[in-house]
Amino acid sequence: MRVLVTGGAGYIGSHTTLALLEQGHEVLVVDDLSNSSPESLRRVGELAGREPGFVEANVRDEQALDAAFASFRPEAVIHFAGWKAVGESTQIPLTYYRENLGSTFTLLEAMGRHDCHTIVFSSSATVYGELSEPPFREDAPTGATNPYGRTKHMVEQVLADVSASDPELRVGVLRYFNPIGAHASGRIGEDPKGIPNNLLPFVAQVATGRREKLMVFGDDYPTPDGTGTRDYIHVVDLAAGHLAALDYLGSHDGHHVWNLGTGRPASVLEIVKAYQEASGVAIPYEVVARRPGDVASSFADPSLAEQELGWRAERSIADACADTFRWQSENPNGFAGA
Ligand code: UDP
């Protein structure tokens, strides 16, 4: 199948692009490289034995998108491109709304003009907020507590409305829990710019000496060890979930929502311990105040994806830590060192 992948040079996008190429699909990546490196795509090409196509453009660029659709004629789109830092989104909300909503509008309109009727969208478990208790099922109430989360929630609603208006459109909304890990080759992985916001990239940089110690945000949550618990899912499993969703949409109409998670919560201290074991390096940490906006616990009920897509997460946190450690130690400066 010909699949146009927006944001395909990024963390989840690059792992999914690789999985698509490995399964024999044709891929065209559209990415403006605002938070990613072309080196990731070069390495994806190396690992797959063939290069994905690449257009350097913002997804809101209608002309560039039209040209890409006209020449590549995609049969499906996977839409990863977007701004994703919660804290930053409270500082520059308009940028988040413009980019994350605008890119989706441009993309859906281009799909309409070019006879492309299948889209898989990168959503987030953040849409469950604190409206109900985990494990979250897809039919749990949704909302959001910050501009980033609201863009995900709004795009979900836009997709539902557009899908209701167009019986030909096939939509798969994937709600990711906490993606971690890297490709087992150590050639591609997460390469955050600046100080990492997320737990595992931060821990990984402490292990390589780039950061002094981890700040554990609170140990007085109502969880077994008092630190926050999340559903950490290996990025290669997550990538496989996109292929399963595309496969499903090949034979099913309509609008669908699936959680991609493991269903098993792990605490901050469990992640620290797993990373120490995988790396053989002690991770110094200090418990500090809770981070504003954090929930105590978030994890999936992943049973719908298993029933409908035949997909489940197979890799462990230990696998993810070992793969992240390999990626970090072989690429201490991420793709910039290449
Ligand atoms: N966390 C932490 N120190 C950090 C980064 C994160 O203690 O430097 C905790 C955070 O409070 C949460 C968990 O690790 O309980 C996962 O946080 P992350 O930002 O990776 O994901 P999210 O909050 O989006 O689920």
Side-chain angles (χ1 to χ4, degrees):
M1 194 194 286
R2 290 183 303 278
V3 186
L4 186 145
V5 178
T6 77
Y11 174 42
I12 305 171
S14 59
H15 288 81
T16 304
T17 296
L18 175 58
L20 286 163
L21 291 171
E22 283 172 344
Q23 283 219 347
H25 298 288
E26 299 297 319
V27 181
L28 178 67
V29 168
V30 177
D31 196 308
D32 67 1
L33 304 179
S34 57
N35 191 30
S36 58
S37 160
E39 176 65 11
S40 71
L41 291 178
R42 203 189 60 72
R43 294 191 184 184
V44 162
E46 219 174 70
L47 290 166
R50 68 201 169 94
E51 297 268 328
F54 175 55
V55 171
E56 184 176 343
N58 187 292
V59 181
R60 292 189 301 108
D61 181 340
E62 195 171 296
Q63 279 183 3
L65 212 56
D66 256 330
F69 270 83
S71 63
F72 184 64
R73 292 177 296 110
E75 293 149 285
V77 166
I78 306 182
H79 184 28
F80 291 105
W83 290 51
K84 61 172 188 178
V86 173
E88 183 185 57
S89 79
T90 66
Q91 305 298 314
I92 48 168
L94 277 176
T95 302
Y96 275 70
Y97 289 115
R98 185 187 63 224
E99 294 292 332
N100 293 2
L101 297 176
S103 62
T104 307
F105 301 152
T106 315
L107 188 59
L108 286 167
E109 285 169 349
M111 288 173 65
R113 283 192 297 275
H114 294 273
D115 211 28
C116 176
H117 307 289
T118 300
I119 179 167
V120 171
F121 173 63
S122 293
S123 190
S124 165
T126 193
V127 301
Y128 294 118
E130 279 184 287
L131 297 164
S132 63
E133 290 298 310
F136 298 117
R137 282 165 44 112
E138 289 82 351
D139 56 6
T142 56
T145 53
N146 58 71
Y148 158 76
R150 267 190 282 282
T151 66
K152 291 295 179 191
H153 192 232
M154 287 175 180
V155 170
E156 285 202 5
Q157 292 170 312
V158 168
L159 288 169
D161 287 342
V162 175
S163 165
S165 76
D166 176 3
E168 252 193 303
L169 192 66
R170 299 176 176 202
V171 177
V173 169
L174 301 180
R175 292 185 182 148
Y176 309 153
F177 281 72
N178 289 59
I180 58 169
H183 191 259
S185 64
R187 297 293 291 157
I188 56 172
E190 189 168 12
D191 184 18
K193 291 209 169 111
I195 301 171
N197 295 306
N198 295 112
L199 178 62
L200 204 76
F202 201 102
V203 168
Q205 293 193 2
V206 173
T208 54
R210 218 166 131 185
R211 316 257 163 222
E212 189 196 335
K213 63 182 169 192
L214 171 71
M215 302 297 169
V216 174
F217 298 142
D219 66 353
D220 56 353
Y221 284 107
T223 59
D225 66 19
T227 64
T229 64
R230 296 290 185 274
D231 185 336
Y232 295 95
I233 174 171
H234 196 297
V235 66
V236 174
D237 284 330
L238 196 63
H242 292 73
L243 273 75
L246 272 187
D247 200 41
Y248 183 93
L249 294 174
S251 56
H252 296 81
D253 290 332
H255 176 266
H256 308 268
V257 180
W258 296 288
N259 286 335
L260 296 183
T262 68
R264 293 181 299 276
S267 74
V268 176
L269 296 181
E270 284 173 299
I271 294 292
V272 169
K273 185 161 176 279
Y275 206 84
Q276 288 183 155
E277 279 163 14
S279 64
V281 179
I283 311 288
Y285 68 83
E286 182 186 338
V287 177
V288 298
R290 290 181 180 191
R291 183 171 62 180
D294 271 359
V295 297
S297 179
S298 171
F299 58 99
D301 176 338
S303 54
L304 188 66
E306 179 155 11
Q307 277 162 37
E308 293 188 342
L309 306 180
W311 170 92
R312 63 187 295 175
E314 285 165 3
R315 292 164 180 79
S316 66
I317 285 174
D319 294 332
C321 290
D323 294 336
T324 297
F325 182 62
R326 190 175 305 111
W327 154 250
Q328 273 289 322
S329 24
E330 289 170 16
N331 306 272
N333 297 310
F335 294 115

